[in-house]
Amino acid sequence: MLHTTANRRHHPDTATRPGRVGRWRLATFACWLVLLACLQTVHAEDGYDLWLRYAPLETQAAAGYRERLGHLVAPATNATQRAARDELVRGIGGLLGKAPAQADSVDGAGALLVGTPSSSPAIGRLGLELDALGDEGYLIRTVDIGGNAATVVAANSDTGALYGAFHLLRLLQSRQPIDALDLRESPKVRLRVLNHWDDLNRHVERGYSGQSIWDWHRLPDWLDPRYTDYARANASIGVNGTVLNNVNANAQILTAPYLEKVAALAGVMRPYGIRVYISARFSAPMEIGGLETADPLDPAVRRWWQAKADEIYAKVPDFGGFLVKANSEGQPGPQDFGRSHADGANMLAEVLAPHGGIVMWRAFVYSDEEPDDRHKQAYTEFVPHDGEFRDNVLVQVKNGAIDFQPREPFHPLFGAMPKTPLMMEFQITKEYLGFATHLVYLGPMYEEVLRADTHAKGPGSTVAKVVDGSLDGHTLSGIAGVANIGSDRNWSGSHFDQANWYVFGRMAWDPSLEARAIADEWVRMTFTNDPAFVEPVVEMMMASHQAAVDYMTPLGLHHLMGRGHHYGPAPWVEGGPRADWTSVYFHRATKEGIGFDRTTSGSDAVSQYAPPVAEVFNDPARVPEDFLLWFHHRPWTSRVASGRTLWDELVHRYSRGVGAVARMRDTWAGLDRHVDPERHHQVERFLAIQQQEAQWWRDASIAYFQTFSGLPLPEGEAPPPESLEYYKSLEFPHAPGDTQ
């Protein structure tokens, strides 16, 4: 109106006579409407909604669901109940085009009942058997109430009902039938936790998706709505804990001002069943407490930690506990005072126990001196203390013994500490797998590790059974994931990296789930249910991890990345403060051959595994070829399963990885009609980056290793386009995610 009035002032006749100016205005207004609609569409598909888009279903599918979900009967007397109710209203309304009517009681057909026997009289009258579901499990069942079909989501707790609500929405999002439901779900792992390597200045170590989402400066007074959406997303996949700060911890987070901020975040997480944890710096009593020591057996130190625990729980009654990185990579720990890992963990566990808190004590340790073999050190330091840890301590073990490499054999600690609960630590952020720009779906890697057989108690003693506690009868169990979440609008830096957050949560809930099924689920929820899109994209995702291993670290090679920033190939790295921070220490290439000898004739790391596993790893004819050079130093001209020489196979796999990425690009390019332009464009450009960098990995690695093999390239293989000196000269001082 203001615009019209202003124009009338200068053109008094244009309000009464149609003409060129009037038509121009109408056209302009129409253009603005189209532009506004486009902007709204772009905003809606920028990735912020993750797998909780709740995009409208096809008319026929929506109509069928509406008959079953016409009205909602759900309590809303506390925050968790309201979260479940609001999610169902939001989700069903978005998917079906109309939110369910909310009612106090079942009224005819199409009722959806959600709650617990204590919160919902209608559910209480059904006499459902819920005891075996525990505190977090749920039941989704089609029932008959007064001659009418109804759908019930029932649990023993409000959090369980919330998880069940998300499961029901997942069924709708993936177009599953809901006419005759009878589902019972409960988590197989007790603690399902994200580890944020976030610093208090909002830098994220090994983070590739912007700043930390925790805005410490504005906390506790400003609670960004993003925190609630973070909690929603985690609850939707069953994550029930978050460690707010970096394992390379700053003791300041234990001071009163920061504990107020932690309490504010805990208040946002609580309705969604999520407990907050803190990474505790072991030397905090000295740094912020004024003590002269942090010796865990010193009475003054124990009193300081007891007072600190009491202070924390006064502010956060449901505080989860501490994550600790100690005596690793320069971090302080009990060994600084002549004490063991068990001494340090037990001191903290003792002060947390009265409050119900737990300690997650990381087993990622290696000495500051040049080691015999880093692969062996965690086993050497922890196995002697099996059975010495308090019952509220979990030893948190990385999936492999080195450091989140593109592929590693399972860590030898799994199966070697039957008296101690071992918590799996996976990396979700792709520190060694191309950061956020490479499409690498981690589900197959998680699945490979969890299904690996430790043989600790005979065949079938899988890593998953160690982690979920079933192998050794532990009730305390956990899986942690180093988060890939940041301030980027799409949370994870790239759209496909959201799938790694998703698959982590789903496998943490149930380690027996299949990576392919989870990928299918995620694609349908995140993009579309059209089989013409779902099938090729799932195939692309399932092949992506092997592709990355091929172009980065084929045949069991490892630790070949650039120093410090870990970006790009640098197999030539040598020198510096310690040998095991170099590439040459791990690949050990000579003119005779390549690979790290960890057999009984080498470092003997194989003997840390159960005998049936050790026998396989020790034999170059039996070891899986994906781990050949992890355990064996082999001649360049030795033969592998394909009949090729080792050198030819190495080159073949490098090229195979590059070719796989090229095919991914072609696949994605042909799917543009199924995806909104913004998301399609970003994935398209990132795949171009990935292909370029895969080629770089291939060419730089071949140029370097050929100086040792002295062998020609196999027929048909193109030589690197640049000299080895060129690849060595490249520098990347601004690569993201490096330590500060």
Side-chain angles (χ1 to χ4, degrees), residues 50-51 428 440-443 446 484 492 494-505 518-519 522-523 526 541:
L50 298 163
W51 48 88
I428 307 172
V440 183
Y441 173 53
L442 297 179
Y446 297 162
N484 64 344
S492 301
S494 72
H495 298 293
F496 272 88
D497 269 5
Q498 296 175 0
N500 294 327
W501 179 7
Y502 185 84
V503 71
F504 166 78
I518 296 172
W522 176 81
V523 171
T526 305
M541 292 171 67

Side-chain angles (χ1 to χ4, degrees), residues 581-611:
W581 284 356
T582 68
S583 301
V584 298
Y585 170 84
F586 288 99
H587 65 67
R588 307 201 168 193
T590 66
K591 65 179 180 180
E592 285 78 26
I594 185 174
F596 198 121
D597 185 357
R598 293 190 168 100
T599 68
T600 52
S601 300
S603 76
D604 198 27
V606 295
S607 294
Q608 293 184 334
Y609 294 93

Side-chain angles (χ1 to χ4, degrees), residues 335-408:
Q335 293 176 344
D336 298 344
F337 308 96
R339 312 303 183 185
S340 70
H341 288 292
D343 292 330
N346 288 343
M347 181 267 293
L348 294 175
E350 182 179 324
V351 303
L352 294 174
H355 304 283
I358 61 102
V359 173
M360 299 171 285
W361 191 271
R362 295 179 85 233
F364 180 62
V365 295
Y366 54 97
S367 65
D368 290 333
E369 298 78 29
E370 180 179 338
D372 169 36
D373 177 358
R374 193 203 290 187
H375 188 289
K376 299 170 62 176
Q377 289 196 39
Y379 185 103
T380 301
E381 290 193 27
F382 279 88
V383 168
H385 299 291
D386 186 30
E388 296 179 8
F389 294 92
R390 288 183 61 107
D391 58 10
N392 60 329
V393 174
L394 286 151
V395 173
Q396 184 167 306
V397 183
K398 290 189 178 185
N399 59 277
I402 299 301
D403 184 17
F404 295 138
Q405 295 302 294
R407 171 175 274 134
E408 298 192 37

Side-chain angles (χ1 to χ4, degrees), residues 379 386 410-418 422 454-457 461-463 466 471-472 608 610:
Y379 185 103
D386 186 30
F410 71 88
H411 202 298
L413 277 177
F414 292 115
M417 297 184 67
L422 299 186
T454 71
H455 285 267
K457 292 188 174 180
S461 303
T462 63
V463 171
V466 175
L471 186 66
D472 299 305
Q608 293 184 334

Side-chain angles (χ1 to χ4, degrees), residues 426-449:
F426 282 128
Q427 192 174 59
I428 307 172
T429 188
K430 303 200 310 296
E431 176 182 356
Y432 299 102
L433 280 165
F435 301 0
T437 50
H438 290 213
L439 195 165
V440 183
Y441 173 53
L442 297 179
M445 188 195 79
Y446 297 162
E447 185 175 77
E448 177 179 293
V449 174

